Amino acid sequence: MVNTLPGLVDTHCHLDFNVFDENLVNIRESARSAGVWRIVNPSVDLESSRKVVAMVETFPEMFGAIGVHPNDLDTWNENALRELRELASHPKVVAIGEIGLDYYWNKSSHAVQKRILRQQLELASELELPVILHSRESNQDLIAMLLDWQVELAAANSPLAQRPGVLHSFSGSKEEASRVFEAGFWVGIGGPVTFKNAPGLQNLVRDLPIEQMLIETDAPFLSPHPYRGKRNEPARVRLIAEKIADLKGLSFAEIEQRTSVNACEMFQWREDF
């Protein structure tokens, strides 16, 4: 393990959402008080991507990801890739995301979702940035696309083949986790792992290798117990780390350090920020 890191990393939250506008200063202070050292803020569309890039210039602890979410593909246009490429040139943009497939809401056809996901995966390849992936009732198709993409990365000797991305808020099976792990992908674990009615996810986390695990809040969504149903915030990533420590029989300090090291390896942010 590398030198001791100063705290927790929330690898997925949406502080650019308007729900945080009125008390963002307090939200950030609460996160610092809870030991949160760094935050990764994915985008959901072009407007969100622009806002995130502006925010990372102001907030030292925040790093951004830019991309278009599968439920926001009505915002996609012929200039989207060009603008995403330009936004990704910012030194604090560390990933392409949140991208993926969503067959629950089906706001765009499966064919359209796959086509635009493929375009954003190709952008990630070009820029050598990992991807932050959303999947809802679409794991079979998403994993198939990701495995094909990883083969292409390996064939091209891309350094991204060693850290292609993370499946955010993972809730798949152990078999699915094994398949994505073998291809170098990692999983993000969030608030649902603390829910009393989530024994399947808890058993999965017990078995997953900590070396390929990230922790996240997905704020303002998926607030962990005992705040379930309330607006989430980055400070609560501490509750997720505590639950994972309990499930795996490790100390909180071990989970804090290992998941923070993992985040550094995945996102490779510059140490001078």
Side-chain angles (χ1 to χ4, degrees):
M1 190 172 291
V2 301
N3 293 335
T4 301
L5 297 174
L8 296 159
V9 179
D10 181 358
T11 62
H12 195 116
C13 71
H14 298 281
L15 294 184
D16 60 300
F17 284 12
N18 292 338
V19 68
F20 291 115
D21 286 350
E22 292 185 0
N23 62 347
L24 190 54
V25 171
N26 292 337
I27 293 291
R28 293 175 63 209
E29 180 56 40
S30 294
R32 284 191 291 268
S33 296
V36 178
W37 168 55
R38 285 188 170 169
I39 292 168
V40 179
N41 198 122
S43 309
V44 295
D45 57 23
L46 290 172
E47 181 181 358
S48 173
S49 296
R50 297 181 201 113
K51 186 174 181 180
V52 167
V53 169
M55 289 177 72
V56 299
E57 292 187 344
T58 304
F59 303 157
E61 72 274 29
M62 182 187 291
F63 290 75
I66 52 94
V68 179
H69 191 285
N71 291 334
D72 292 276
L73 297 183
D74 58 341
T75 66
W76 190 265
N77 59 57
E78 61 182 9
N79 296 316
L81 279 175
R82 176 188 56 78
E83 183 168 2
L84 289 174
R85 184 179 291 106
E86 292 173 354
L87 290 168
S89 67
H90 193 286
K92 291 187 73 179
V93 170
V94 294
I96 301 298
E98 177 179 353
I99 64 176
L101 301 174
D102 192 312
Y103 293 174
Y104 177 80
W105 291 110
N106 272 324
K107 291 189 175 183
S108 297
S109 72
H110 294 186
V112 168
Q113 290 189 49
K114 290 178 181 179
R115 175 174 58 82
I116 297 178
L117 171 59
R118 178 66 196 182
Q119 291 179 6
Q120 294 187 90
L121 290 174
E122 290 173 356
L123 179 64
S125 300
E126 173 191 335
L127 302 177
E128 295 185 353
L129 289 174
V131 290
I132 296 174
L133 295 151
H134 170 97
S135 180
R136 190 164 185 187
E137 298 188 3
S138 59
N139 278 358
Q140 182 174 348
D141 282 358
L142 179 63
I143 291 172
M145 289 185 68
L146 295 179
L147 296 184
D148 288 344
W149 180 55
Q150 205 279 340
V151 168
E152 295 172 11
L153 293 174
N157 292 317
S158 170
L160 196 58
Q162 305 304 315
R163 55 179 193 100
V166 54
L167 280 76
H168 127 78
S169 194
F170 187 76
S171 60
S173 66
K174 186 175 181 180
E175 178 187 5
E176 290 170 334
S178 296
R179 291 179 69 200
V180 297
F181 284 167
E182 288 174 4
F185 290 88
W186 297 357
V187 298
I189 303 298
V193 76
T194 70
F195 296 170
K196 295 178 180 178
N197 64 343
L201 177 58
Q202 291 166 359
N203 287 334
L204 180 66
V205 168
R206 286 189 183 97
D207 293 337
L208 294 180
I210 190 65
E211 292 79 12
Q212 288 177 277
M213 188 183 299
L214 299 174
I215 55 175
E216 59 174 69
T217 61
D218 198 19
F221 312 112
L222 298 177
S223 203
H225 178 79
Y227 301 100
R228 186 175 183 178
K230 299 181 179 180
R231 186 191 66 185
N232 204 0
E233 60 180 85
R236 294 177 187 162
V237 77
R238 188 177 189 90
L239 296 173
I240 296 162
E242 289 173 349
K243 182 63 177 182
I244 293 171
D246 178 63
L247 290 170
K248 298 188 78 66
L250 299 172
S251 70
F252 170 81
E254 288 175 294
I255 297 299
E256 176 186 56
Q257 284 298 297
R258 183 66 256 180
T259 57
S260 292
V261 167
N262 293 349
C264 291
E265 293 178 355
M266 175 62 70
F267 299 115
Q268 296 192 350
W269 33 53
R270 281 168 42 185
E271 291 301 322
D272 55 339
F273 284 112

